[in-house]
């Protein structure tokens, strides 16, 4: 597999190095300031760890050249996500808020547990990241929130301040920013006299690169369509 890496921040560098050193794959593009048109097109897929501002450029190129795309960038608007969904009509596409294999399993557990506990447990989501992270709550927290809301129709409450007693049928979402925290996500199920906690802690950004590369390998040679990390881990042949 030969990948085109768009984005040369911390994650772009890690993906490039792992593609070459650990997976022995080739890299066609290494810098987010270049355009895809600057390449010779000799690659199988695009792995995007850059910025939402590159979305239109990536979509235009992928449509024209029918390249599979892994969207690992966060901070997309609803309009951006609709564009990504439309791209799947022309080429294989996978977009995820998190590429950690552990986080994908965490989300699957949330989907399975929430319907069982929703009537007798309060649900809260807590996420923590380094002080340079721009968006809050994190894309992963939103993914977990979506899984809870789909199973409950609970109302999201983003943070609490002042006099605000907890109401039935709501799910709280809380963001922490500090230091060099790579990423922590916890879903709390708080019942009478017991608390169940599902938590994932990232100790290195390498875990996101591993997941993105695994996704890219999966997506190559797949038919047009919109895929998820659940498909990669749990099967969609």
């Amino acid at each position: 597999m030969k990948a085109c890496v768009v984005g040369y921040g911390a994650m772009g560098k890690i993906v490039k190095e792992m593609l070459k050193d650990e997976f022995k794959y080739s890299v066609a593009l290494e810098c987010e300031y270049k355009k895809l048109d600057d390449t010779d097109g000799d690659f199988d897929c695009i792995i995007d760890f850059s910025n939402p501002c590159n979305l239109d450029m990536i979509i235009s190129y992928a449509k024209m050249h029918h390249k599979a795309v892994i969207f690992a960038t966060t901070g997309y608007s609803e309009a951006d996500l609709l564009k990504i969904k439309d791209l799947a009509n022309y080429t294989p596409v996978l977009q995820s808020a998190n590429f950690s294999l552990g986080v994908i399993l965490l989300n699957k557990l949330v989907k399975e547990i929430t319907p069982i506990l929703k009537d007798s447990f309060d649900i809260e989501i807590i996420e923590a990241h380094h002080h340079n992270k721009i968006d809050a709550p994190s894309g992963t927290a939103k993914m977990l929130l979506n899984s809870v809301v789909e199973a409950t129709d609970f109302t999201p409450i983003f943070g609490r301040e002042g006099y605000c007693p907890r109401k039935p049928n709501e799910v709280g979402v809380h963001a922490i920013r500090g230091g060099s925290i790579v990423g922590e996500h916890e879903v709390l199920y708080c019942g009478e006299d017991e608390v169940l906690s599902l938590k994932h802690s990232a100790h290195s950004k390498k875990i996101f690169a591993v997941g993105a590369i695994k996704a890219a390998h999966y997506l190559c040679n797949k038919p047009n369509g919109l895929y998820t990390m659940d498909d990669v881990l749990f099967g969609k042949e």
Side-chain angles (χ1 to χ4, degrees):
M1 183 184 76
K2 188 172 185 178
C4 174
V5 181
V6 180
Y8 204 53
M11 278 308 307
K13 292 176 182 178
I14 293 171
V15 171
K16 186 208 76 170
E17 291 168 0
M18 292 189 71
L19 280 167
K20 289 182 176 179
D21 299 338
E22 298 190 28
F23 290 86
K24 308 304 179 185
Y25 295 151
S26 299
V27 182
L29 182 71
E30 303 174 4
C31 178
E32 76 174 282
Y33 301 107
K34 294 180 181 178
K35 294 182 179 180
L36 287 166
D37 288 334
D38 293 337
T39 71
D40 59 10
D42 181 24
F43 53 85
D44 303 299
C45 65
I46 299 166
I47 302 177
D48 175 36
F49 267 106
S50 62
N51 188 288
C53 68
N54 287 321
L55 180 61
D56 288 342
M57 180 264 291
I58 294 170
I59 287 177
S60 177
Y61 187 91
K63 278 185 178 181
M64 182 176 297
H65 300 281
H66 305 288
K67 300 293 185 181
V69 186
I70 304 296
F71 287 105
T73 297
T74 60
Y76 288 123
S77 67
E78 290 300 320
D80 290 336
L81 294 174
L82 288 175
K83 290 180 181 179
I84 291 172
K85 184 177 181 180
D86 177 71
L87 176 61
N89 293 313
Y90 302 87
T91 194
V93 173
L94 192 152
Q95 185 271 329
S96 179
N98 194 304
F99 281 84
S100 158
L101 305 185
V103 164
I104 302 306
L105 180 56
L106 168 63
N107 192 47
K108 185 175 179 65
L109 291 172
V110 168
K111 291 179 179 180
E112 293 181 357
I113 291 173
T114 300
I116 300 171
L117 301 181
K118 65 178 183 178
D119 294 329
S120 53
F121 283 70
D122 297 325
I123 305 173
E124 298 281 304
I125 298 170
I126 304 170
E127 60 98 340
H129 285 84
H130 53 88
H131 56 213
N132 290 322
K133 185 169 178 60
I134 299 173
D135 55 314
S138 68
T140 302
K142 291 178 180 178
M143 178 178 69
L144 296 170
L145 174 63
N146 287 339
S147 295
V148 171
V149 171
E150 286 175 3
T152 62
D153 286 327
F154 285 0
T155 301
I157 302 297
F158 296 94
R160 291 190 176 86
E161 182 181 7
Y163 183 76
C164 51
R166 196 181 204 283
K167 299 177 181 178
N169 301 329
E170 69 179 30
V171 51
V173 185
H174 312 277
I176 297 169
R177 296 290 175 267
S180 58
I181 301 171
V182 176
E184 296 183 358
H185 295 87
E186 183 175 17
V187 182
L188 288 169
Y189 296 87
C190 307
E192 290 296 325
D193 303 318
E194 61 179 335
V195 175
L196 172 64
S197 169
L198 298 179
K199 184 175 181 179
H200 178 273
S201 297
H203 296 161
S204 165
K205 291 183 177 180
K206 288 181 67 175
I207 63 173
F208 309 123
V210 169
I213 293 170
K214 185 177 181 71
H217 187 79
Y218 169 87
L219 206 62
C220 288
N221 301 317
K222 283 287 187 290
N224 297 350
L226 187 63
Y227 297 84
T228 70
M229 285 301 292
D230 279 6
D231 299 329
V232 176
L233 294 190
F234 311 119
K236 180 180 179 181
E237 298 299 333

